[in-house]
Amino acid sequence: MATGAHTTAKQVVAALERYWARALLIGVLLIVCAARLRLLDMPLERDEGEYAYAGRLILEGVPPYKLAYNMKFPGTYYAYALIMLVFGQTPAGIRLGLTCITTLTALLMYRFGRKLVDETAGVVAATTYALLAASPATLGLAAHATHFAALLSTAGLCVLWPAQQRLSIWRVAAGGFMFGLATLMKQHAALFCLWGLWVVHAACRSEKVYGAARMRLFLAYGIGAVAPLLVCCVALWYAGVFEQFVFWTITYASQYASIVSLSQVPGTLFGTLEKFAQRDALLWAMVVVGAGFVLGDERFAGIRTKLLVFCAAAFLTTVPGFYFRRHYFILALPAAGLLAGCGVSAARAFLARKQVKGGNAMPVWMYVGVTASAMFLNGDIWFRAAPEQASRQIYFGNPFAESQVIAEYIRTNSAPDAKVAILGSEPQIFFLSGRRSATGYIYTYPLMEPHRYAERMQKQMIREIESEAPEFVLFVAIPLSWLAWPGASREIIDWWANSYRTNYALVGVVAVNPVKGTQYFWDRAAVEFGEHPRWGILIYRRKNS
């Protein structure tokens, strides 16, 4: 009788623990969603502007790489097109789609962590991911390609991990397909494809699958992983843009990836890590502690190798090109969440074994404190700053809020079929204004980099602008919009200043001052102000318009 009562008491305690764990999960996800929804109208940044512009072109029947050049695979363009089809072609619609994407990823993390270890690991994995994926430090409030790749790679993880217990061609192919789709969103995710290949190999060894059966599994995985890119290539070939696709995503991308030298890596990497530490130091500390538990705790002996190899692949996705941009780390956040979850779960088990009074709950309460700390440190942006103010705090010195005002002026003062050229990298203006670019170069970054195609790109951009004779030309006098490398050719700048500029009249000056505020001058006031803002955007209109 006593034994039965004791068993019943343990069941009650376990049920209460599950209740509070899920309450924590729901609470954190609701708070993060509330923060994202409050900032739906935050001005689009450059990457979002590029994806939104390309997505709109797709909805209008224009294939990628025809009217907008970039080195990224087109998966995120199509994802944006789908989101805008469902939620509308507005910044708020895009952010609402992003909220759905990140919430779904967190729920997948919960499900996977719970099955892999226990309820605690699942909740901590999901909430850690959700908090870091919305952090201003990772630029997570913007709908970057890495969010989409993180969702699909997490789905691939959930599908492929049980392969060792249930080796089947369809499961293996589905896992490869998910990783292939993730790669289509962001090339860096190809490292997960390699992890998946290793998992299939390890499962075959463990289950003693040899010969033709093993080859069928490898073939199924390979077909699944390659299928998304293969379908994409066929579609782009059929659309007549395959040559442009190959040049931008392979030829130029290989040049771009070789620009940063190894000597620059420490400064670039530690600069990014410093940004993370300012807002999310305790969460990242939990990740490191979790990695230590996974390495040393025998509870993880059966999954240690597979989990650590996955985490290594995830963190290596931040390395290609050695740029270590902050939003690149979003692709590693599911792995970070899993490590944190393993750490809290293992700490609970360790203290229970040591029979520490209250030790079973202590790690959970510590983690609750860590989440509260993350919310407090990010609260200035999540809960207090207005959308425009949040953009200025996160992207100090960038003209993203100003882009909305400029786009409104262009939209009001031009016909829907008017063309616009931007000497700078502000593609969000094309999307916000509803006007097409006069050139496929919606960024000028590639033109100012030290690679063999830079001068050719400048000449091509000049030809395209002269051919289209756009109604508006914007000159962005902000170094962040050019990121010119030392010794970069100034041909396109000289062409504009000394030659083509004579065809246009100044109609707007946006003098950006990140500290004192932005001043806007239009038409006659712009002429009186002049063409020499220290930091800003000059708007010109064709004289015969």
Side-chain angles (χ1 to χ4, degrees):
M1 187 72 175
T3 303
H6 181 67
T7 302
T8 302
K10 288 181 65 176
Q11 291 173 341
V12 170
V13 171
L16 287 172
E17 287 181 350
R18 286 195 301 273
Y19 171 81
W20 286 111
R22 291 173 186 178
L24 174 63
L25 172 66
I26 293 169
V28 171
L29 292 186
L30 286 176
I31 290 171
V32 171
C33 284
R36 288 190 179 277
L37 294 174
R38 200 184 71 83
L39 296 171
L40 284 181
D41 292 316
M42 194 170 76
L44 295 180
E45 51 95 81
R46 289 187 187 94
D47 280 7
E48 291 177 303
E50 170 207 336
Y51 300 137
Y53 179 60
R56 176 179 287 168
L57 289 176
I58 289 171
L59 293 176
E60 293 173 355
V62 180
Y65 313 104
K66 183 174 183 178
L67 298 181
Y69 311 145
N70 200 266
M71 66 178 174
K72 299 159 188 165
F73 279 175
T76 304
Y77 299 156
Y78 286 97
Y80 261 66
L82 180 59
I83 284 174
M84 292 190 297
L85 193 63
V86 175
F87 297 111
Q89 297 186 33
T90 64
I94 292 167
R95 300 278 166 59
L96 187 56
L98 172 65
T99 302
C100 295
I101 293 293
T102 54
T103 303
L104 180 57
T105 308
L107 292 174
L108 285 177
M109 291 297 304
Y110 165 68
R111 180 179 181 276
F112 181 76
R114 184 184 62 178
K115 288 193 171 185
L116 184 68
V117 183
D118 57 23
E119 187 83 17
T120 299
V123 170
V124 173
T127 51
T128 299
Y129 161 80
L131 290 166
L132 291 174
S135 174
T138 60
L139 308 181
L141 293 170
H144 286 288
T146 41
H147 283 297
F148 300 91
L151 170 62
L152 291 164
S153 59
T154 302
L157 174 68
C158 292
V159 170
L160 200 58
W161 188 282
Q164 189 163 331
Q165 288 77 37
R166 289 171 285 177
L167 269 178
S168 74
I169 287 177
W170 292 110
R171 176 176 291 276
V172 166
F177 184 71
M178 289 298 175
F179 289 137
L181 282 178
T183 304
L184 208 59
M185 299 291 167
K186 185 76 174 177
Q187 287 100 312
H188 298 195
L191 285 159
F192 290 123
C193 292
L194 297 178
W195 176 82
L197 188 65
W198 174 79
V199 166
V200 175
H201 169 70
C204 288
R205 287 188 60 186
S206 175
E207 297 299 311
K208 296 181 172 55
V209 177
Y210 302 108
R214 175 180 287 201
M215 289 306 300
R216 282 195 295 270
L217 289 170
F218 278 119
L219 185 61
Y221 179 81
I223 290 173
V226 172
L229 183 59
L230 183 61
V231 170
C232 171
C233 289
V234 171
L236 294 175
W237 174 82
Y238 183 78
V241 293
F242 183 71
E243 186 177 346
Q244 295 96 305
F245 166 71
V246 170
F247 172 77
W248 282 100
T249 62
I250 298 176
T251 308
Y252 162 66
S254 64
Q255 295 283 313
Y256 174 80
S258 63
I259 292 174
V260 178
S261 65
L262 285 173
S263 63
Q264 295 172 286
V265 168
T268 306
L269 176 58
F270 288 116
T272 297
L273 296 180
E274 184 181 5
K275 293 286 187 182
F276 292 166
Q278 290 172 1
R279 290 184 176 272
D280 306 308
L282 292 178
L283 279 173
W284 285 108
M286 298 287 289
V287 174
V288 174
V289 170
F293 272 111
V294 171
L295 282 168
D297 196 318
E298 285 305 308
R299 293 176 73 234
F300 304 112
I303 63 172
R304 179 181 294 130
T305 302
K306 194 165 22 171
L307 179 59
L308 290 178
V309 173
F310 175 79
C311 291
F315 285 97
L316 284 173
T317 62
T318 68
V319 173
F322 302 122
Y323 289 94
F324 298 108
R325 312 239 189 252
R326 286 191 274 163
H327 57 281
Y328 288 5
F329 285 80
I330 292 171
L331 200 47
L333 295 185
L338 285 174
L339 290 177
C342 289
V344 175
S345 176
R348 290 189 68 193
F350 174 78
L351 293 175
R353 288 197 303 272
K354 296 295 183 181
Q355 298 182 338
V356 176
K357 186 177 181 180
N360 197 39
M362 192 182 305
V364 175
W365 284 112
M366 287 181 63
Y367 179 71
V368 170
V370 168
T371 62
S373 171
M375 292 176 188
F376 175 78
L377 291 174
N378 291 313
D380 57 331
I381 290 176
W382 284 358
F383 310 123
R384 292 188 290 276
E388 183 177 313
Q389 182 187 5
S391 175
R392 295 187 189 281
Q393 285 184 243
I394 297 170
Y395 302 100
F396 186 80
N398 283 287
F400 301 150
E402 289 77 8
S403 294
Q404 298 180 130
V405 180
I406 295 169
E408 178 63 28
Y409 178 86
I410 293 172
R411 186 169 55 249
T412 303
N413 291 278
S414 65
D417 61 349
K419 296 290 182 67
V420 179
I422 300 177
L423 299 177
S425 304
E426 307 301 337
Q428 68 278 4
I429 294 176
F430 299 123
F431 174 74
L432 295 168
S433 66
R435 303 296 181 262
R436 289 190 180 182
S437 173
T439 171
Y441 288 94
I442 59 174
Y443 288 105
T444 51
Y445 292 145
L447 285 62
M448 313 305 289
E449 294 165 350
H451 58 78
R452 58 189 294 189
Y453 302 106
E455 291 189 19
R456 191 183 88 180
M457 289 176 176
Q458 292 197 25
K459 293 180 188 299
Q460 184 182 357
M461 185 176 184
I462 290 170
R463 288 196 305 271
E464 291 180 359
I465 293 175
E466 289 180 339
S467 174
E468 290 291 334
E471 186 167 346
F472 286 94
V473 175
L474 279 59
F475 185 87
V476 187
I478 297 176
L480 294 171
S481 195
W482 291 84
L483 295 183
W485 285 70
S489 170
R490 289 180 52 89
E491 180 178 355
I492 193 165
I493 297 174
D494 294 338
W495 160 82
W496 167 253
N498 302 328
S499 174
Y500 202 64
R501 159 72 183 82
T502 58
N503 299 304
Y504 289 80
L506 183 69
V507 294
V509 176
V510 179
V512 180
N513 188 318
V515 178
K516 296 182 179 180
T518 298
Q519 293 179 291
Y520 298 91
F521 303 92
W522 303 109
D523 303 316
R524 182 178 296 179
V527 176
E528 292 174 356
F529 183 85
E531 300 181 74
H532 306 288
R534 293 182 178 179
W535 194 279
I537 300 177
L538 304 172
I539 301 96
Y540 298 88
R541 190 170 192 176
R542 193 165 185 85
K543 288 180 179 178
N544 59 2
S545 296

